[in-house]
Amino acid sequence: MKNIKLILATVLLLSTVACKKFLDVTPSNSADANKAVQTPRDAQIIINGIMNQMTDASYYGRNFIMYADAKGGDMAVFSMGRGLDALYTFNHSVNNNNYSGFWSQIYFCILETNYLLEQIAKLEAAGATGFNISKGQALTARALMYFDLVRLYGKPYTQDKTSYGVPIVLTRLGFDAKPLRASVDDVYKQIVKDLTDAAPLLPKTRTDGYINYYANKAIAARVYLNMDDKPAALTAAKEVIAATGIYSLYTNANWVNSWSSQFGSESIFELKVNPLENDLGTGSLGVYQRNKGVGTTSALGFFYASTGFLSTLNAGGNTDIRRGIMARDETSASRLGSCYKYSGGIPDGNSSTSKMPGDKSTNNNTAVNIKVIRLSEMYLIAAEAALPTDALAAVGYLNAIRGRNPSLLPATVATINADMILEERSKELYGEGHRFFDMMRLNKSITYNDEFGGLTVSQRTKTIDRTFYKTILPISQGEINANPGIKAQQNPQY
């Protein structure tokens, strides 16, 4: 495919000339690509580059997280044309609003990872040692990348695992290579293999900003939950929860302030955001979730919380501590529809809550790292996975998070159900890129709050479910033109 071939050429060029901005792995201007990685330090530098590229606007830096939130029903658009509203309206086609940046950027990261793994394999075959951690991190990162790709372009595993997923590329390919799509099932098998192979190579200590053993297990818990393999999801989540000397849940008193700092006690995997290197400025995730005009005149009030989400969050007398990361939106001072998880704090005069210590929302537009996986998610995965076989255990896991709203009665064996857990996931993980994928894997309908902005949306109905063809993205026309074989594998109805 065109983008994959261009990426292959770029990776080869970067590894050959040792670009200082990106890989920075050799001191020479004309190093042999096969010698670009010679030491564990070289490998770690490439890992740094991979982590940095994952914060690109087309991936975790903005669009991937906004994809799941804009489409999931918990966010709404107040005014059209501000940016990324095609995600909300599902205005996708092979030529327009196809968000092919997901495809090109994630494959770019995969091909960097493949390059590193091949170089490590050559060195280890020659007797070199010391590469286990880098290899484990690369394999786990690749698993996460394929997991993200297959959810964007393939049907949910629980809907049709025999349908087309994405091409599986595990090695450097020739410039004219034209890999075709594997099945969803085969992609998931590769994801599980990478995670399984990586786990024993990784340290069981904190490695802030990098992937460790527990980040691997946390990703595995997500993957198994999407496969509806609840026993495996529970086992993986419980192992992370049991790492009590390394991770712990935020208390109600410190949950809000945790969003003004990096590498908190719940953070299992964060992608570093350096204001001098990869802060996306006015195009950042923080700006897209905050109120219009806050911190910068370029903040347009892109996405606000839907009325339905706020009703759920405000249940029980407005005591949910997670309201503290929400602030007013442009509609009124009382409607806390803006999210400040990625702005480092709520500015004065913008919320009915107090300003957070260390507020950075008017300095750097992405003021905190991207929190990819938090411990609270593991509790919610454990609750969902345990529910069919051990309701009492599920109650314990759920109440550890449900208690963030002291006004709600704790769940009991008699009252707990899957919808209660799903609702808690919505409140806890709002703005972090989960909701749409949850609704799709669970075969739930999504009703959109179009009336909030008085919108008329012609590209979808007000309520959809996963039978709607635009719940997965099209393969772009550019890819089809470069690789005609993939045309027969286009997603249905595009």
Side-chain angles (χ1 to χ4, degrees), residues 23-25 36-50 116-117 119-120 123 130-135 137-138 210:
L23 294 180
D24 193 22
V25 293
V37 178
Q38 291 295 299
T39 69
R41 179 182 178 278
D42 296 338
Q44 196 59 47
I45 290 171
I46 293 186
I47 290 290
N48 292 344
I50 293 169
L116 174 59
L117 289 169
Q119 295 303 105
I120 289 174
L123 291 168
F131 291 95
N132 277 357
I133 292 176
S134 293
K135 182 162 61 173
Q137 290 172 341
Y210 299 95

Side-chain angles (χ1 to χ4, degrees), residues 192 196 216-240 378 381-382 385-386:
V192 171
T196 302
N216 174 286
K217 290 299 176 182
I219 294 168
R222 276 188 187 175
V223 170
Y224 287 127
L225 194 70
N226 276 261
M227 298 173 71
D228 200 31
D229 187 343
K230 291 184 172 65
L234 180 59
T235 297
K238 284 172 65 176
E239 190 166 2
V240 181
M378 294 300 104
I381 288 176

